Amino acid sequence: MGERDFSGALSKIKVPMLILDQKWHRLFALGGKPDVVKELESKESDLLKREAELKKELKDLKKVKETLMASVMSNMEGTSDLVSKKLDEDKRLLEECKQRIESAEDELKDLPSVTEDTNRELMMATMDFCYDKLRTNSQEAEEITNWIKDIRVQLKKNVIRKHNREINNKEIYSYMHDVFGMEVLNLFDLQNEDFYLGIADDKPEDKQNAESKEKASDLSNVNLEDVDLDAIAKETKEVKEDDSEENISEEAAVADKSE
């Protein structure tokens, strides 16, 4: 839409008084209002207050005017100096009241237009702020999305690495058992307690050494053919397809040896 078309369409729209709308205030709930919005809000608030003051003043002046007119009418026929003096004073006050009413009405006549213009300025400042915030949020959301995608790829890779390490440990220990026998392994296990066989997720925090020894004994009869190396290889392939820049085939090869 061209600038002229946009301005023309916008001029036909009736904009509600923004500072009286609680939902408008909530637009700035997170980041607060920018200075330009605060200034326009304060200006619009002052204009609305002034409009309310003028309406009240006019209402009071018109009551005074009616009272003065009644007093003038009742004293028109008086002949005493006191009545004449009172009549002159009422006429003076009546004329002053009329002038004040005329002045207040003139100001009140122009005030709605000024208030509406200020309200439109406030709308434009609000839209600038909101659309800038929308763009910023969209950019940040896209960056976070890309970060999540990258983390997912890294997570898949690390899951594969974790499985490969656990499988490699089982493979190494099983071959050590076949080559050296359980009696020799038991001796070396006592000297090397800082390793863990099995799934790392299940490793107990407070009984690491005892569980490691128990796992070592159980692995004396491990059959490597029971390990689902095809599944591990499949996972590795999927990770490689997600991110071709990093080659993890050498790590997956550790698992494939036992097939």
mmCIF file of all heavy atoms in Angstrom, residues 171-209:
data_model
loop_
_atom_site.group_PDB
_atom_site.id
_atom_site.type_symbol
_atom_site.label_atom_id
_atom_site.label_comp_id
_atom_site.label_asym_id
_atom_site.label_seq_id
_atom_site.Cartn_x
_atom_site.Cartn_y
_atom_site.Cartn_z
ATOM 1 N N GLU A 171 32.991 -54.441 25.187
ATOM 2 C CA GLU A 171 33.791 -55.223 24.247
ATOM 3 C C GLU A 171 35.208 -55.441 24.782
ATOM 4 O O GLU A 171 35.731 -56.561 24.778
ATOM 5 C CB GLU A 171 33.834 -54.497 22.903
ATOM 6 C CG GLU A 171 34.558 -55.269 21.814
ATOM 7 C CD GLU A 171 34.587 -54.471 20.521
ATOM 8 O OE1 GLU A 171 35.027 -53.297 20.571
ATOM 9 O OE2 GLU A 171 34.176 -54.995 19.486
ATOM 10 N N ILE A 172 35.815 -54.329 25.246
ATOM 11 C CA ILE A 172 37.193 -54.426 25.772
ATOM 12 C C ILE A 172 37.255 -55.379 26.951
ATOM 13 O O ILE A 172 38.133 -56.258 27.039
ATOM 14 C CB ILE A 172 37.692 -53.024 26.184
ATOM 15 C CG1 ILE A 172 37.925 -52.168 24.942
ATOM 16 C CG2 ILE A 172 38.992 -53.125 26.992
ATOM 17 C CD1 ILE A 172 38.238 -50.716 25.253
ATOM 18 N N TYR A 173 36.306 -55.225 27.897
ATOM 19 C CA TYR A 173 36.363 -56.043 29.109
ATOM 20 C C TYR A 173 36.110 -57.513 28.793
ATOM 21 O O TYR A 173 36.721 -58.413 29.384
ATOM 22 C CB TYR A 173 35.340 -55.537 30.119
ATOM 23 C CG TYR A 173 35.664 -55.979 31.529
ATOM 24 C CD1 TYR A 173 36.523 -55.243 32.329
ATOM 25 C CD2 TYR A 173 35.113 -57.156 32.047
ATOM 26 C CE1 TYR A 173 36.825 -55.657 33.605
ATOM 27 C CE2 TYR A 173 35.420 -57.579 33.324
ATOM 28 C CZ TYR A 173 36.277 -56.820 34.107
ATOM 29 O OH TYR A 173 36.594 -57.229 35.367
ATOM 30 N N SER A 174 35.209 -57.764 27.836
ATOM 31 C CA SER A 174 34.939 -59.146 27.457
ATOM 32 C C SER A 174 36.179 -59.803 26.842
ATOM 33 O O SER A 174 36.519 -60.952 27.163
ATOM 34 C CB SER A 174 33.773 -59.181 26.473
ATOM 35 O OG SER A 174 33.501 -60.500 26.061
ATOM 36 N N TYR A 175 36.875 -59.061 25.956
ATOM 37 C CA TYR A 175 38.082 -59.611 25.349
ATOM 38 C C TYR A 175 39.196 -59.777 26.386
ATOM 39 O O TYR A 175 39.962 -60.745 26.346
ATOM 40 C CB TYR A 175 38.562 -58.703 24.214
ATOM 41 C CG TYR A 175 37.684 -58.760 22.987
ATOM 42 C CD1 TYR A 175 37.560 -57.665 22.134
ATOM 43 C CD2 TYR A 175 36.978 -59.915 22.673
ATOM 44 C CE1 TYR A 175 36.761 -57.712 21.013
ATOM 45 C CE2 TYR A 175 36.180 -59.979 21.545
ATOM 46 C CZ TYR A 175 36.069 -58.877 20.718
ATOM 47 O OH TYR A 175 35.270 -58.930 19.613
ATOM 48 N N MET A 176 39.268 -58.832 27.339
ATOM 49 C CA MET A 176 40.273 -58.967 28.419
ATOM 50 C C MET A 176 40.014 -60.237 29.215
ATOM 51 O O MET A 176 40.945 -60.954 29.606
ATOM 52 C CB MET A 176 40.216 -57.739 29.345
ATOM 53 C CG MET A 176 40.784 -56.466 28.727
ATOM 54 S SD MET A 176 40.366 -54.993 29.693
ATOM 55 C CE MET A 176 41.195 -55.356 31.239
ATOM 56 N N HIS A 177 38.710 -60.503 29.460
ATOM 57 C CA HIS A 177 38.353 -61.709 30.201
ATOM 58 C C HIS A 177 38.767 -62.955 29.433
ATOM 59 O O HIS A 177 39.311 -63.916 29.999
ATOM 60 C CB HIS A 177 36.839 -61.712 30.450
ATOM 61 C CG HIS A 177 36.337 -62.985 31.068
ATOM 62 N ND1 HIS A 177 35.903 -64.056 30.309
ATOM 63 C CD2 HIS A 177 36.204 -63.365 32.369
ATOM 64 C CE1 HIS A 177 35.529 -65.043 31.105
ATOM 65 N NE2 HIS A 177 35.696 -64.631 32.371
ATOM 66 N N ASP A 178 38.504 -62.947 28.108
ATOM 67 C CA ASP A 178 38.864 -64.111 27.289
ATOM 68 C C ASP A 178 40.371 -64.307 27.220
ATOM 69 O O ASP A 178 40.859 -65.443 27.212
ATOM 70 C CB ASP A 178 38.301 -63.951 25.879
ATOM 71 C CG ASP A 178 36.781 -64.002 25.852
ATOM 72 O OD1 ASP A 178 36.199 -64.469 26.856
ATOM 73 O OD2 ASP A 178 36.183 -63.551 24.854
ATOM 74 N N VAL A 179 41.136 -63.205 27.163
ATOM 75 C CA VAL A 179 42.589 -63.306 27.010
ATOM 76 C C VAL A 179 43.289 -63.630 28.327
ATOM 77 O O VAL A 179 44.149 -64.515 28.396
ATOM 78 C CB VAL A 179 43.154 -61.991 26.423
ATOM 79 C CG1 VAL A 179 44.686 -62.041 26.392
ATOM 80 C CG2 VAL A 179 42.617 -61.766 25.019
ATOM 81 N N PHE A 180 42.907 -62.907 29.415
ATOM 82 C CA PHE A 180 43.653 -63.019 30.676
ATOM 83 C C PHE A 180 42.952 -63.853 31.741
ATOM 84 O O PHE A 180 43.587 -64.303 32.698
ATOM 85 C CB PHE A 180 43.917 -61.617 31.245
ATOM 86 C CG PHE A 180 44.695 -60.740 30.316
ATOM 87 C CD1 PHE A 180 44.068 -59.720 29.623
ATOM 88 C CD2 PHE A 180 46.059 -60.948 30.119
ATOM 89 C CE1 PHE A 180 44.778 -58.900 28.758
ATOM 90 C CE2 PHE A 180 46.771 -60.136 29.261
ATOM 91 C CZ PHE A 180 46.147 -59.112 28.578
ATOM 92 N N GLY A 181 41.673 -64.036 31.632
ATOM 93 C CA GLY A 181 40.931 -64.792 32.624
ATOM 94 C C GLY A 181 40.425 -63.913 33.746
ATOM 95 O O GLY A 181 40.953 -62.830 34.016
ATOM 96 N N MET A 182 39.392 -64.427 34.433
ATOM 97 C CA MET A 182 38.725 -63.625 35.455
ATOM 98 C C MET A 182 39.591 -63.386 36.680
ATOM 99 O O MET A 182 39.524 -62.334 37.317
ATOM 100 C CB MET A 182 37.419 -64.332 35.882
ATOM 101 C CG MET A 182 36.457 -63.411 36.586
ATOM 102 S SD MET A 182 35.999 -62.068 35.466
ATOM 103 C CE MET A 182 35.594 -60.811 36.660
ATOM 104 N N GLU A 183 40.465 -64.371 37.008
ATOM 105 C CA GLU A 183 41.303 -64.230 38.209
ATOM 106 C C GLU A 183 42.246 -63.045 38.066
ATOM 107 O O GLU A 183 42.423 -62.264 39.006
ATOM 108 C CB GLU A 183 42.093 -65.523 38.426
ATOM 109 C CG GLU A 183 42.934 -65.503 39.714
ATOM 110 C CD GLU A 183 43.656 -66.828 39.946
ATOM 111 O OE1 GLU A 183 43.419 -67.781 39.182
ATOM 112 O OE2 GLU A 183 44.452 -66.882 40.900
ATOM 113 N N VAL A 184 42.841 -62.908 36.870
ATOM 114 C CA VAL A 184 43.749 -61.788 36.639
ATOM 115 C C VAL A 184 42.972 -60.466 36.640
ATOM 116 O O VAL A 184 43.401 -59.465 37.214
ATOM 117 C CB VAL A 184 44.491 -61.966 35.297
ATOM 118 C CG1 VAL A 184 45.341 -60.727 34.978
ATOM 119 C CG2 VAL A 184 45.372 -63.194 35.351
ATOM 120 N N LEU A 185 41.802 -60.481 36.016
ATOM 121 C CA LEU A 185 41.002 -59.248 35.971
ATOM 122 C C LEU A 185 40.582 -58.792 37.354
ATOM 123 O O LEU A 185 40.558 -57.592 37.645
ATOM 124 C CB LEU A 185 39.757 -59.453 35.106
ATOM 125 C CG LEU A 185 39.960 -59.543 33.595
ATOM 126 C CD1 LEU A 185 38.623 -59.517 32.880
ATOM 127 C CD2 LEU A 185 40.841 -58.416 33.084
ATOM 128 N N ASN A 186 40.268 -59.748 38.226
ATOM 129 C CA ASN A 186 39.883 -59.387 39.585
ATOM 130 C C ASN A 186 40.988 -58.631 40.296
ATOM 131 O O ASN A 186 40.734 -57.674 41.029
ATOM 132 C CB ASN A 186 39.503 -60.631 40.383
ATOM 133 C CG ASN A 186 38.134 -61.173 39.982
ATOM 134 O OD1 ASN A 186 37.316 -60.442 39.415
ATOM 135 N ND2 ASN A 186 37.889 -62.446 40.249
ATOM 136 N N LEU A 187 42.252 -59.102 40.078
ATOM 137 C CA LEU A 187 43.381 -58.413 40.704
ATOM 138 C C LEU A 187 43.527 -56.990 40.174
ATOM 139 O O LEU A 187 43.723 -56.042 40.928
ATOM 140 C CB LEU A 187 44.678 -59.200 40.455
ATOM 141 C CG LEU A 187 44.804 -60.545 41.175
ATOM 142 C CD1 LEU A 187 46.066 -61.274 40.725
ATOM 143 C CD2 LEU A 187 44.828 -60.343 42.688
ATOM 144 N N PHE A 188 43.433 -56.861 38.853
ATOM 145 C CA PHE A 188 43.589 -55.536 38.256
ATOM 146 C C PHE A 188 42.409 -54.621 38.566
ATOM 147 O O PHE A 188 42.572 -53.400 38.645
ATOM 148 C CB PHE A 188 43.782 -55.663 36.740
ATOM 149 C CG PHE A 188 45.200 -55.950 36.350
ATOM 150 C CD1 PHE A 188 45.655 -57.262 36.253
ATOM 151 C CD2 PHE A 188 46.094 -54.915 36.094
ATOM 152 C CE1 PHE A 188 46.959 -57.534 35.909
ATOM 153 C CE2 PHE A 188 47.404 -55.182 35.740
ATOM 154 C CZ PHE A 188 47.859 -56.501 35.648
ATOM 155 N N ASP A 189 41.225 -55.222 38.740
ATOM 156 C CA ASP A 189 40.062 -54.403 39.087
ATOM 157 C C ASP A 189 40.248 -53.711 40.427
ATOM 158 O O ASP A 189 39.810 -52.571 40.628
ATOM 159 C CB ASP A 189 38.795 -55.268 39.139
ATOM 160 C CG ASP A 189 38.285 -55.609 37.746
ATOM 161 O OD1 ASP A 189 38.772 -54.996 36.780
ATOM 162 O OD2 ASP A 189 37.421 -56.490 37.636
ATOM 163 N N LEU A 190 40.927 -54.425 41.350
ATOM 164 C CA LEU A 190 41.163 -53.836 42.668
ATOM 165 C C LEU A 190 42.090 -52.633 42.582
ATOM 166 O O LEU A 190 42.005 -51.721 43.408
ATOM 167 C CB LEU A 190 41.752 -54.890 43.613
ATOM 168 C CG LEU A 190 40.832 -56.061 43.973
ATOM 169 C CD1 LEU A 190 41.589 -57.096 44.806
ATOM 170 C CD2 LEU A 190 39.608 -55.560 44.736
ATOM 171 N N GLN A 191 42.952 -52.616 41.587
ATOM 172 C CA GLN A 191 43.888 -51.507 41.420
ATOM 173 C C GLN A 191 43.328 -50.401 40.517
ATOM 174 O O GLN A 191 43.881 -49.306 40.481
ATOM 175 C CB GLN A 191 45.205 -52.026 40.786
ATOM 176 C CG GLN A 191 45.963 -53.016 41.645
ATOM 177 C CD GLN A 191 46.418 -52.385 42.952
ATOM 178 O OE1 GLN A 191 45.952 -52.757 44.017
ATOM 179 N NE2 GLN A 191 47.297 -51.413 42.860
ATOM 180 N N ASN A 192 42.257 -50.701 39.804
ATOM 181 C CA ASN A 192 41.688 -49.739 38.858
ATOM 182 C C ASN A 192 40.178 -49.657 39.073
ATOM 183 O O ASN A 192 39.402 -50.322 38.389
ATOM 184 C CB ASN A 192 41.987 -50.162 37.415
ATOM 185 C CG ASN A 192 43.464 -50.246 37.131
ATOM 186 O OD1 ASN A 192 44.099 -49.263 36.797
ATOM 187 N ND2 ASN A 192 44.020 -51.453 37.276
ATOM 188 N N GLU A 193 39.789 -48.814 40.040
ATOM 189 C CA GLU A 193 38.374 -48.726 40.385
ATOM 190 C C GLU A 193 37.686 -47.501 39.767
ATOM 191 O O GLU A 193 36.511 -47.273 40.004
ATOM 192 C CB GLU A 193 38.219 -48.675 41.902
ATOM 193 C CG GLU A 193 38.722 -49.942 42.584
ATOM 194 C CD GLU A 193 38.554 -49.893 44.095
ATOM 195 O OE1 GLU A 193 38.361 -48.775 44.613
ATOM 196 O OE2 GLU A 193 38.605 -50.954 44.730
ATOM 197 N N ASP A 194 38.424 -46.704 39.003
ATOM 198 C CA ASP A 194 37.856 -45.475 38.462
ATOM 199 C C ASP A 194 37.292 -45.673 37.061
ATOM 200 O O ASP A 194 37.486 -44.854 36.174
ATOM 201 C CB ASP A 194 38.901 -44.363 38.448
ATOM 202 C CG ASP A 194 40.162 -44.778 37.702
ATOM 203 O OD1 ASP A 194 40.325 -45.991 37.453
ATOM 204 O OD2 ASP A 194 40.967 -43.882 37.378
ATOM 205 N N PHE A 195 36.627 -46.777 36.827
ATOM 206 C CA PHE A 195 35.927 -46.991 35.571
ATOM 207 C C PHE A 195 34.574 -47.605 35.882
ATOM 208 O O PHE A 195 34.333 -48.077 36.990
ATOM 209 C CB PHE A 195 36.732 -47.883 34.616
ATOM 210 C CG PHE A 195 36.791 -49.335 35.047
ATOM 211 C CD1 PHE A 195 35.900 -50.260 34.522
ATOM 212 C CD2 PHE A 195 37.733 -49.763 35.983
ATOM 213 C CE1 PHE A 195 35.948 -51.585 34.919
ATOM 214 C CE2 PHE A 195 37.772 -51.095 36.384
ATOM 215 C CZ PHE A 195 36.889 -52.002 35.855
ATOM 216 N N TYR A 196 33.715 -47.572 34.893
ATOM 217 C CA TYR A 196 32.352 -48.067 35.116
ATOM 218 C C TYR A 196 31.893 -48.815 33.890
ATOM 219 O O TYR A 196 32.056 -48.341 32.759
ATOM 220 C CB TYR A 196 31.395 -46.892 35.400
ATOM 221 C CG TYR A 196 29.985 -47.331 35.727
ATOM 222 C CD1 TYR A 196 29.662 -47.859 36.973
ATOM 223 C CD2 TYR A 196 28.964 -47.230 34.777
ATOM 224 C CE1 TYR A 196 28.369 -48.260 37.267
ATOM 225 C CE2 TYR A 196 27.669 -47.624 35.065
ATOM 226 C CZ TYR A 196 27.380 -48.149 36.319
ATOM 227 O OH TYR A 196 26.109 -48.545 36.603
ATOM 228 N N LEU A 197 31.337 -49.990 34.108
ATOM 229 C CA LEU A 197 30.805 -50.799 33.021
ATOM 230 C C LEU A 197 29.287 -50.775 33.068
ATOM 231 O O LEU A 197 28.692 -50.853 34.137
ATOM 232 C CB LEU A 197 31.305 -52.242 33.140
ATOM 233 C CG LEU A 197 32.818 -52.442 32.967
ATOM 234 C CD1 LEU A 197 33.172 -53.895 33.233
ATOM 235 C CD2 LEU A 197 33.268 -52.039 31.582
ATOM 236 N N GLY A 198 28.669 -50.693 31.938
ATOM 237 C CA GLY A 198 27.213 -50.658 31.874
ATOM 238 C C GLY A 198 26.757 -49.326 31.331
ATOM 239 O O GLY A 198 27.496 -48.598 30.661
ATOM 240 N N ILE A 199 25.507 -48.956 31.642
ATOM 241 C CA ILE A 199 24.917 -47.717 31.160
ATOM 242 C C ILE A 199 25.204 -46.603 32.155
ATOM 243 O O ILE A 199 24.887 -46.725 33.342
ATOM 244 C CB ILE A 199 23.388 -47.870 30.976
ATOM 245 C CG1 ILE A 199 23.110 -48.997 29.971
ATOM 246 C CG2 ILE A 199 22.763 -46.567 30.492
ATOM 247 C CD1 ILE A 199 21.650 -49.313 29.804
ATOM 248 N N ALA A 200 25.825 -45.533 31.686
ATOM 249 C CA ALA A 200 26.240 -44.452 32.577
ATOM 250 C C ALA A 200 25.066 -43.823 33.316
ATOM 251 O O ALA A 200 25.208 -43.356 34.442
ATOM 252 C CB ALA A 200 26.989 -43.390 31.785
ATOM 253 N N ASP A 201 23.882 -43.808 32.690
ATOM 254 C CA ASP A 201 22.701 -43.216 33.341
ATOM 255 C C ASP A 201 22.338 -43.939 34.630
ATOM 256 O O ASP A 201 21.734 -43.351 35.537
ATOM 257 C CB ASP A 201 21.491 -43.263 32.395
ATOM 258 C CG ASP A 201 21.787 -42.635 31.054
ATOM 259 O OD1 ASP A 201 22.679 -43.161 30.363
ATOM 260 O OD2 ASP A 201 21.125 -41.651 30.705
ATOM 261 N N ASP A 202 22.658 -45.232 34.694
ATOM 262 C CA ASP A 202 22.273 -46.042 35.853
ATOM 263 C C ASP A 202 23.353 -46.080 36.920
ATOM 264 O O ASP A 202 23.206 -46.766 37.926
ATOM 265 C CB ASP A 202 21.969 -47.483 35.419
ATOM 266 C CG ASP A 202 20.816 -47.523 34.422
ATOM 267 O OD1 ASP A 202 19.970 -46.614 34.487
ATOM 268 O OD2 ASP A 202 20.789 -48.444 33.597
ATOM 269 N N LYS A 203 24.465 -45.371 36.707
ATOM 270 C CA LYS A 203 25.581 -45.430 37.658
ATOM 271 C C LYS A 203 25.179 -44.795 38.978
ATOM 272 O O LYS A 203 24.805 -43.629 39.027
ATOM 273 C CB LYS A 203 26.794 -44.695 37.090
ATOM 274 C CG LYS A 203 28.000 -44.775 38.010
ATOM 275 C CD LYS A 203 29.221 -44.160 37.355
ATOM 276 C CE LYS A 203 29.109 -42.653 37.325
ATOM 277 N NZ LYS A 203 30.359 -42.023 36.865
ATOM 278 N N PRO A 204 25.244 -45.521 40.074
ATOM 279 C CA PRO A 204 24.899 -44.944 41.377
ATOM 280 C C PRO A 204 25.982 -43.979 41.845
ATOM 281 O O PRO A 204 27.163 -44.192 41.618
ATOM 282 C CB PRO A 204 24.805 -46.173 42.293
ATOM 283 C CG PRO A 204 25.695 -47.182 41.656
ATOM 284 C CD PRO A 204 25.605 -46.941 40.170
ATOM 285 N N GLU A 205 25.584 -42.943 42.556
ATOM 286 C CA GLU A 205 26.524 -41.937 43.010
ATOM 287 C C GLU A 205 27.372 -42.417 44.180
ATOM 288 O O GLU A 205 28.551 -42.136 44.261
ATOM 289 C CB GLU A 205 25.751 -40.674 43.449
ATOM 290 C CG GLU A 205 25.031 -39.985 42.320
ATOM 291 C CD GLU A 205 25.982 -39.285 41.379
ATOM 292 O OE1 GLU A 205 27.120 -39.002 41.805
ATOM 293 O OE2 GLU A 205 25.599 -39.048 40.230
ATOM 294 N N ASP A 206 26.756 -43.155 45.089
ATOM 295 C CA ASP A 206 27.439 -43.487 46.344
ATOM 296 C C ASP A 206 28.022 -44.896 46.380
ATOM 297 O O ASP A 206 28.699 -45.248 47.331
ATOM 298 C CB ASP A 206 26.466 -43.312 47.519
ATOM 299 C CG ASP A 206 25.184 -44.100 47.313
ATOM 300 O OD1 ASP A 206 24.961 -44.536 46.177
ATOM 301 O OD2 ASP A 206 24.437 -44.263 48.292
ATOM 302 N N LYS A 207 27.731 -45.744 45.355
ATOM 303 C CA LYS A 207 28.244 -47.111 45.382
ATOM 304 C C LYS A 207 28.929 -47.444 44.054
ATOM 305 O O LYS A 207 28.765 -48.518 43.507
ATOM 306 C CB LYS A 207 27.103 -48.101 45.641
ATOM 307 C CG LYS A 207 26.418 -47.899 46.992
ATOM 308 C CD LYS A 207 25.307 -48.906 47.190
ATOM 309 C CE LYS A 207 24.616 -48.728 48.523
ATOM 310 N NZ LYS A 207 23.525 -49.693 48.723
ATOM 311 N N GLN A 208 29.714 -46.516 43.559
ATOM 312 C CA GLN A 208 30.298 -46.676 42.241
ATOM 313 C C GLN A 208 31.235 -47.868 42.179
ATOM 314 O O GLN A 208 31.174 -48.679 41.259
ATOM 315 C CB GLN A 208 31.057 -45.402 41.862
ATOM 316 C CG GLN A 208 31.759 -45.498 40.523
ATOM 317 C CD GLN A 208 32.465 -44.193 40.181
ATOM 318 O OE1 GLN A 208 32.279 -43.194 40.855
ATOM 319 N NE2 GLN A 208 33.258 -44.222 39.140
ATOM 320 N N ASN A 209 32.124 -48.000 43.163
ATOM 321 C CA ASN A 209 33.142 -49.052 43.101
ATOM 322 C C ASN A 209 32.528 -50.442 43.194
ATOM 323 O O ASN A 209 32.889 -51.353 42.455
ATOM 324 C CB ASN A 209 34.174 -48.855 44.210
ATOM 325 C CG ASN A 209 34.973 -47.586 44.000
ATOM 326 O OD1 ASN A 209 35.089 -47.098 42.889
ATOM 327 N ND2 ASN A 209 35.522 -47.035 45.086
#
